[in-house]
Amino acid sequence: MNPSSESKRCLTRILHAIDLSSLSKTDHKLLLSRLDQHFPALFDLLLQVYDKHYDLHYHLQQLVKTLASQFAQRNARLKKKDKQRLADPLWHKSEQMLGMACYVDLIAGDLNGVREKIPYFTELGLTYLHLMPLYKSPEGDSDGGYAVSDYRCVNPVLGTTKDLQMLAQALNEAGISLVLDFVFNHTADDHAWAKAARAGDEKYQDYYLMFDDRQLPDQYDATLREIFPSVRRGSFSYLPDIQKWVWTTFNNFQWDLNYGNPAVFRAIVDEMLFLANLGCDSLRLDALAFIWKDLGTMCENRPKAHALIKAFNCCLQIVAPAVVFKSEAIVHPDEVVKYIAPNECQLSYNPLLMALLWNSLATQKTRLITQSLSHRFAINPQCTWVNYVRCHDDIGWTFDDGDAAHLGINGYNHRLFLNQFYTGRFENSFAVGLGFQENPENGDCRVCGSLASLAGLQQALERNSPSLIELAIKRMLLLNSVILSIGGIPLLYAGDELAMLNDYSFQTDPHKLHDARWVNRPRIDAQAIALAHQPGTPQYQVNVGLRKMIATRKKYPVFGAASTQVLRTGSDHCFAYLRQTDNGERLLVLCNFSDSERELSADILHHLLPAREVTDLIEHQSVMLDFSNLLRLTAYQVLWLYLPIAVN
């Protein structure tokens, strides 16, 4: 069979069988053009996944009907944005990009409150706002909203779907791209599909991975990684009312969807396009590494998972090409990069950078970040990293053991050290954090805590030590300086710009008590904002320092679409990289991750030759290139050495 010719015949048959008469002539022509362009790839991908399904043609026909229906429902404003983004596909690489992630209720109460905070967002410089899951979810514990009861219904506490559409339009008018979560590995156990499955409907039981006994679950469990071992051992939950086991990778109330069933793919495409048509600019693909299961494997990062994500992307390109995918693959670095491609995920979280930044602070050494990023930072030039210091989740130490071994570091032992350091169990640690999901069998866990508390501010304030406070402020600004300059979209977690400390109020809520991640999800109130605007406070110093770096970033294209070369400094304590645009604009970044002054060879300045004078954009002053003396960086100092154009 020739897939190309077969896909054309298939599409022709489908178009003869479905009714597109409701579309205007312009929309009809546009839809056919996009189908001609993207259906061959979609056909090939779904053939790879569902080649053994005799009814694949039926599912393809129903899928095209869904695409046509959602395309018809996409409003004129969004179709105009589709055209704009197709003409400027690398919009996300701009130096103007600055992101923030937040929970609606914690930052503003509800969606209307978020709309009222748009002036604050624009004044800070945001051009990208990720609203954490805001869909209807179970009362009580909902895994922070990642257990979705209804994709098309906003949590009533936060507002309505109409409120969300109005917010999306207001953000668009303010130049802020809206990011929503696409929770597609699982649904809540009270989703309509799950309720039908529980009631005995075989159609919907096949929407999930259900088993009559433990034979297959035991075989799968033998090779699976436990994600939430303190919640439940293994990856399956028993449903006594129907005497079945259901696959639950995460919590008992989050049922994994069965993508071996093409009807599930079609149903989720419909939900995805509904979200796209609300007006978002990006969809964060939650837990994408887990969506395909193969017996005898870890059931993560499987080839058919990639095929499915590419197929979802094809559907977006047909209906809503302004929307891009953001990968949330918190897995081994070799696997993270496999999701990053123009036809898969155009954006990707960079969990390796986050982990290595915190590692560098704990060890005061930069060997591992230099070794790892020297060959792991480069990605497809049409795609963009989303770089973050902290997020709503935990910190997992996702560095490569091979990179560590190259430096004589035992990866397993080093992770144990990092867990001890950031949970305050290591002598002389400055960090105040909590462990999350510790595995009693292997001692593995992750770390939770706000940026300020993990960087030492909480401990410094408790000890009332001006010198420790100063070091904590420098650590926070150092970490932010890297995500703002290394290349990609810098993403702040709401509250970190205010240097907010750990929030322990979750420990009094029985629905949150078991989930330490709530410690780094503070409620942002007027007091926190006022403290960050009160001169003399450490919160003020962090906020002002961050704002200055943000304003500087937006002025220079070298912070946007430019290449990044990680450099070896000759110092175990200093990290460096060179940014360069196509026209020769250059930025040499030097960072001291030590709490004392460090020296490095001035030879690194040769990357700025033949210039003799450059500008330090952090201090906004001229710097003469002096090769006769060693470079000296004070504790946690950062230099942004800028050269406007290549000097002849």
Side-chain angles (χ1 to χ4, degrees):
M1 180 185 72
N2 184 325
S4 178
S5 58
E6 183 60 28
S7 72
K8 292 179 181 178
R9 285 194 292 269
C10 179
L11 180 58
T12 299
R13 289 194 295 267
I14 289 172
L15 291 175
H16 282 146
I18 65 175
D19 182 11
L20 300 178
S21 60
S22 62
L23 296 177
S24 68
K25 287 184 178 180
T26 300
D27 281 352
H28 187 273
K29 181 179 179 181
L30 181 56
L31 177 61
L32 292 185
S33 173
R34 291 186 187 161
L35 284 168
D36 284 341
Q37 182 179 357
H38 299 290
F39 186 81
L42 179 60
F43 176 88
D44 181 59
L45 290 163
L46 295 182
L47 192 63
Q48 292 175 38
V49 178
Y50 301 118
D51 59 323
K52 293 181 172 58
H53 284 257
Y54 71 92
D55 57 350
L56 180 57
H57 178 81
Y58 164 79
H59 289 289
L60 286 167
Q61 180 172 314
Q62 296 303 113
L63 177 61
V64 173
K65 287 177 67 174
T66 295
L67 299 178
S69 173
Q70 290 288 1
F71 177 77
Q73 294 174 58
R74 192 160 175 82
N75 66 41
R77 180 178 62 83
L78 295 179
K79 286 176 178 174
K80 180 180 179 181
K81 178 175 277 192
D82 290 334
K83 185 176 181 180
Q84 292 171 340
R85 289 284 163 83
L86 286 171
D88 181 23
L90 302 184
W91 58 272
H92 43 77
K93 297 183 76 70
S94 169
E95 67 277 6
Q96 299 301 316
M97 295 302 298
L98 176 71
M100 176 178 281
C102 63
Y103 279 97
V104 170
D105 56 332
L106 297 181
I107 196 171
D110 58 21
L111 290 167
N112 290 330
V114 174
R115 195 162 77 246
E116 292 172 3
K117 289 189 79 73
I118 288 177
Y120 172 78
F121 298 147
T122 55
E123 190 255 343
L124 183 60
L126 295 188
T127 56
Y128 165 120
L129 183 66
H130 175 194
L131 300 180
M132 308 303 291
L134 41 71
Y135 315 113
K136 185 178 179 182
S137 56
E139 293 185 10
D141 187 7
S142 64
D143 190 25
Y146 284 98
V148 178
S149 305
D150 188 338
Y151 295 93
R152 303 192 182 209
C153 181
V154 168
N155 185 333
V157 173
L158 305 178
T160 66
T161 304
K162 181 65 176 177
D163 292 334
L164 181 55
Q165 287 178 304
M166 291 173 61
L167 173 60
Q169 183 169 347
L171 288 170
N172 179 71
E173 291 169 356
I176 300 174
S177 297
L178 174 62
V179 184
L180 297 176
D181 281 273
F182 181 32
V183 185
F184 71 127
N185 174 71
H186 49 263
T187 72
D189 61 0
D190 67 348
H191 189 284
W193 303 339
K195 287 181 177 178
R198 206 158 201 161
D201 189 322
E202 292 184 358
K203 171 185 173 182
Y204 288 103
Q205 287 185 350
D206 197 31
Y207 269 43
Y208 299 95
L209 293 147
M210 291 186 162
F211 307 88
D212 293 328
D213 55 47
R214 283 290 313 190
Q215 182 179 353
L216 275 174
D218 285 343
Q219 291 179 39
Y220 276 110
D221 262 341
T223 55
L224 295 179
R225 179 168 64 104
E226 291 183 304
I227 307 302
F228 286 174
S230 69
V231 171
R232 177 206 60 254
R233 304 315 305 271
S235 296
F236 299 86
S237 299
Y238 186 60
L239 308 176
D241 50 331
I242 59 173
Q243 297 183 322
K244 288 182 181 292
W245 292 87
V246 62
W247 197 311
T248 52
T249 295
F250 301 101
N251 289 289
N252 298 338
F253 50 82
Q254 291 167 296
W255 293 6
D256 284 38
L257 288 161
N258 174 22
Y259 280 98
N261 177 2
V264 170
F265 176 79
R266 288 196 291 108
I268 290 293
V269 164
D270 203 18
E271 304 305 310
M272 175 187 76
L273 294 176
F274 176 84
L275 299 179
N277 281 346
L278 290 177
C280 68
D281 297 85
S282 179
L283 288 169
R284 169 192 176 275
L285 302 190
D286 178 63
L288 77 174
F290 298 89
I291 64 172
W292 190 266
K293 280 70 170 169
D294 283 321
L295 188 63
T297 74
M298 289 178 63
C299 297
E300 298 178 38
N301 309 303
R302 305 304 301 156
K304 287 188 177 180
H306 289 279
L308 284 167
I309 295 164
K310 290 174 183 175
F312 280 121
N313 199 342
C314 286
C315 296
L316 265 188
Q317 294 304 312
I318 292 167
V319 175
V323 181
V324 294
F325 279 154
K326 178 170 65 172
S327 164
E328 190 253 355
I330 313 302
V331 291
H332 189 279
D334 289 344
E335 298 297 336
V336 171
V337 296
K338 293 179 183 177
Y339 294 96
I340 306 171
N343 66 340
E344 196 161 348
C345 295
Q346 299 90 345
L347 309 180
S348 175
Y349 281 129
N350 195 346
L352 178 63
L353 177 62
M354 177 187 68
L356 294 176
L357 287 172
W358 289 107
N359 170 74
S360 300
L361 277 191
T363 61
Q364 298 194 39
K365 293 184 178 179
T366 58
R367 297 184 304 151
L368 188 53
I369 193 171
T370 299
Q371 170 66 20
S372 298
L373 296 190
S374 64
H375 64 110
R376 295 189 184 279
F377 191 80
I379 55 175
N380 188 298
Q382 297 179 61
C383 301
T384 303
W385 284 120
V386 176
N387 299 316
Y388 56 112
V389 174
R390 284 298 297 115
C391 67
H392 75 288
D393 226 332
D394 51 88
I395 301 175
W397 308 112
T398 56
F399 57 82
D400 174 58
D401 282 356
D403 287 336
H406 181 79
L407 302 171
I409 299 170
N410 179 290
Y412 175 78
N413 291 338
H414 194 60
R415 289 183 179 89
L416 292 180
F417 155 71
L418 291 169
N419 286 331
Q420 291 178 335
F421 187 94
Y422 282 108
T423 56
R425 291 177 283 177
F426 190 84
E427 187 177 1
N428 296 323
S429 169
F430 51 74
V432 179
L434 297 178
F436 177 63
Q437 294 297 331
E438 187 162 0
N439 190 320
E441 292 185 2
N442 58 22
D444 181 43
C445 78
R446 284 99 79 188
V447 169
C448 302
S450 73
L451 165 60
S453 293
L454 292 178
L457 184 59
Q458 181 169 331
Q459 182 191 92
L461 291 171
E462 290 171 353
R463 295 182 180 180
N464 194 26
S465 170
S467 61
L468 293 181
I469 290 172
E470 182 182 359
L471 289 176
I473 292 168
K474 288 181 176 180
R475 291 187 195 103
M476 284 184 273
L477 293 176
L478 165 62
L479 295 182
N480 279 306
S481 78
V482 176
I483 67 166
L484 285 165
S485 62
I486 198 169
I489 299 173
L491 180 67
L492 309 175
Y493 185 72
D496 284 349
E497 84 281 14
L498 306 173
M500 294 184 70
L501 304 178
N502 287 344
D503 180 357
Y504 297 99
S505 63
F506 79 98
Q507 295 176 339
T508 62
D509 185 335
H511 298 301
K512 297 178 179 177
L513 178 60
H514 68 282
D515 190 342
R517 292 173 299 178
W518 286 103
V519 79
N520 48 256
R521 300 170 182 173
R523 183 174 297 278
I524 299 168
D525 54 23
Q527 182 180 358
I529 295 173
L531 199 59
H533 289 81
Q534 181 181 334
T537 65
Q539 291 83 357
Y540 175 83
Q541 291 177 262
V542 171
N543 188 260
V544 169
L546 178 59
R547 287 172 179 269
K548 285 181 178 178
M549 288 190 289
I550 290 170
T552 298
R553 169 186 164 84
K554 289 176 176 287
K555 293 177 181 177
Y556 299 93
V558 74
F559 290 100
S563 63
T564 301
Q565 179 186 358
V566 175
L567 306 173
R568 299 192 182 275
T569 65
S571 167
D572 284 349
H573 307 281
C574 296
F575 179 52
Y577 46 92
L578 181 71
R579 300 274 293 152
Q580 185 164 339
T581 63
D582 288 342
N583 70 356
E585 185 181 3
R586 278 177 280 169
L587 179 76
L588 176 63
V589 178
L590 304 175
C591 308
N592 178 10
F593 274 83
S594 167
D595 61 6
S596 57
E597 183 178 280
R598 297 293 174 177
E599 296 178 341
L600 64 158
S601 170
D603 287 347
I604 199 166
L605 299 177
H606 281 92
H607 292 280
L608 297 171
L609 289 177
R612 291 296 174 186
E613 182 179 356
V614 294
T615 303
D616 176 11
L617 297 181
I618 295 288
E619 298 296 335
H620 300 284
Q621 61 186 21
S622 295
V623 176
M624 301 302 297
L625 301 188
D626 180 3
F627 296 94
S628 61
N629 292 304
L630 292 171
L631 279 172
R632 289 181 172 82
L633 272 66
T634 60
Y636 302 119
Q637 185 180 1
V638 178
L639 295 176
W640 283 357
L641 301 180
Y642 172 70
L643 181 65
I645 57 172
V647 179
N648 295 321

